[in-house]
């Protein structure tokens, strides 16, 4: 089997490093500057909305706005634990069923992403409501977070939508590397099961690691809002 070409370590969070390992071909020498990238994502309409969130009049406080307490923090932790548990439990279940068809894995990945998006979106909106009830500086932060979510979420979903495709390419490369050469009929008959089990188990572990890393990324805004709400 040919050796994979050496790739220098990729800086950044675990999610980026894992996906970079699945990329086919050389990686860029450096990522674009964050300010340059944001200037491409934030059009003038969003820039005006962000300016209003920073300097404009704050909305009136709702009488029935929820108040932050330890139960809300526990709920965020519970949701994260449930999502992580569903990822690891599904990976364990799939290890017991040998399938070299990527379609069910893709469907599972997309279902997990939809669940993460729905759960984190609900938590983020609720925490913003609580910030809006915690005084002017916190209400300002809630307004800014709302604008940033509206601005960056569409781009984020497009980028995260590439994860099932990258995993599919990784799946195909692992399967091809484990398959015997077409003219090696003896090995094709003698060693199919161990080779199959090895590459598929590795893929299941890689997919689990990627989805757990994506969960960390999706919870970063929630962790920021929680930090702002916790008593000093």
């Amino acid at each position: 089997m040919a050796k994979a070409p050496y790739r220098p370590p990729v800086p950044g969070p675990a999610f980026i490093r894992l996906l970079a390992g699945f990329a086919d071909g050389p990686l860029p020498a450096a990522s674009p500057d964050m300010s340059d990238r944001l200037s491409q994502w934030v059009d003038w309409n969003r820039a005006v909305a962000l300016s209003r969130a920073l300097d404009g009049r704050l909305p009136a406080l709702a009488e029935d706005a929820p108040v932050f307490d330890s139960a809300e923090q526990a709920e965020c932790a519970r949701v994260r634990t449930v999502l992580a548990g569903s990822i690891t439990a599904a990976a364990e279940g799939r290890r017991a069923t040998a399938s070299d068809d990527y379609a069910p894995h893709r469907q599972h990945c997309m279902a997990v992403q939809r669940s993460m998006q729905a759960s984190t979106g609900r938590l983020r909106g609720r925490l913003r409501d609580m910030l809006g009830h915690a005084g002017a500086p916190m209400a300002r932060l809630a307004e800014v977070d709302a604008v940033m979510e509206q601005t960056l979420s569409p781009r984020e979903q497009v980028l995260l939508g590439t994860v099932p495709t990258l995993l599919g390419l990784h799946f195909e490369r692992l399967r091809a590397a484990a398959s015997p050469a077409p003219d090696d009929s003896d090995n094709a008959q003698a060693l199919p099961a161990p080779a199959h089990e090895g590459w598929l188990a590795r893929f299941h572990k890689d997919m689990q690691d990627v989805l757990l890393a994506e969960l960390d990324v999706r919870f970063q805004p929630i962790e920021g809002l929680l930090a702002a709400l916790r008593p000093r």
Side-chain angles (χ1 to χ4, degrees):
M1 185 184 300
K3 270 191 176 182
Y6 171 75
R7 291 173 180 264
V10 177
F15 184 57
I16 300 300
R17 295 197 304 272
L18 287 168
L19 292 180
F22 303 156
D24 190 13
L27 299 171
S31 299
D33 182 75
M34 178 61 72
S35 59
D36 290 342
R37 180 60 60 88
L38 284 175
S39 68
Q40 299 172 21
W41 292 0
V42 181
D43 58 23
W44 73 270
N45 286 319
R46 295 300 185 188
V48 169
L50 182 57
S51 177
R52 288 174 179 166
L54 289 168
D55 303 317
R57 179 180 298 177
L58 292 170
L61 295 178
E63 293 294 333
D64 57 347
V67 178
F68 180 75
D69 56 21
S70 59
E72 291 296 335
Q73 184 163 326
E75 173 64 8
C76 291
R78 185 195 68 80
V79 171
R80 183 168 187 161
T81 299
V82 168
L83 289 170
S86 68
I87 293 170
T88 54
E92 291 297 329
R94 288 184 180 280
R95 289 191 185 104
T97 55
S99 171
D100 57 2
D101 179 11
Y102 179 62
H105 301 291
R106 180 184 182 88
Q107 292 169 2
H108 166 67
C109 180
M110 295 174 68
V112 169
Q113 287 184 311
R114 287 193 295 269
S115 181
M116 287 192 288
Q117 182 181 0
S119 297
T120 56
R122 176 180 59 82
L123 291 176
R124 190 172 179 178
R126 185 170 176 83
L127 293 176
R128 274 203 303 266
D129 289 343
M130 295 176 184
L131 274 175
H133 211 65
M138 295 297 190
R140 184 75 65 192
L141 176 59
E143 288 293 296
V144 171
D145 182 73
V147 172
M148 293 304 292
E149 183 179 20
Q150 293 168 5
T151 301
L152 300 182
S153 183
R155 177 74 62 161
E156 178 185 75
Q157 296 315 312
V158 169
L159 294 174
L160 292 175
T162 65
V163 170
T165 300
L166 290 174
L167 282 171
L169 295 173
H170 183 53
F171 181 94
E172 296 298 338
R173 280 194 290 269
L174 289 176
R175 180 170 62 179
S179 299
D183 58 348
D184 197 352
S185 57
D186 292 338
N187 285 340
Q189 294 178 2
L191 298 174
H196 183 280
E197 292 170 2
W199 75 262
L200 196 55
R202 176 182 170 184
F203 173 77
H204 289 153
K205 179 63 167 60
D206 289 343
M207 183 168 69
Q208 172 185 297
D209 290 345
V210 166
L211 291 175
L212 289 174
E214 181 177 334
L215 181 63
D216 288 341
V217 171
R218 289 182 181 269
F219 258 83
Q220 285 177 359
I222 294 169
E223 292 296 338
L225 295 175
L226 284 172
L229 283 162
R230 290 188 187 105
R232 298 298 189 271

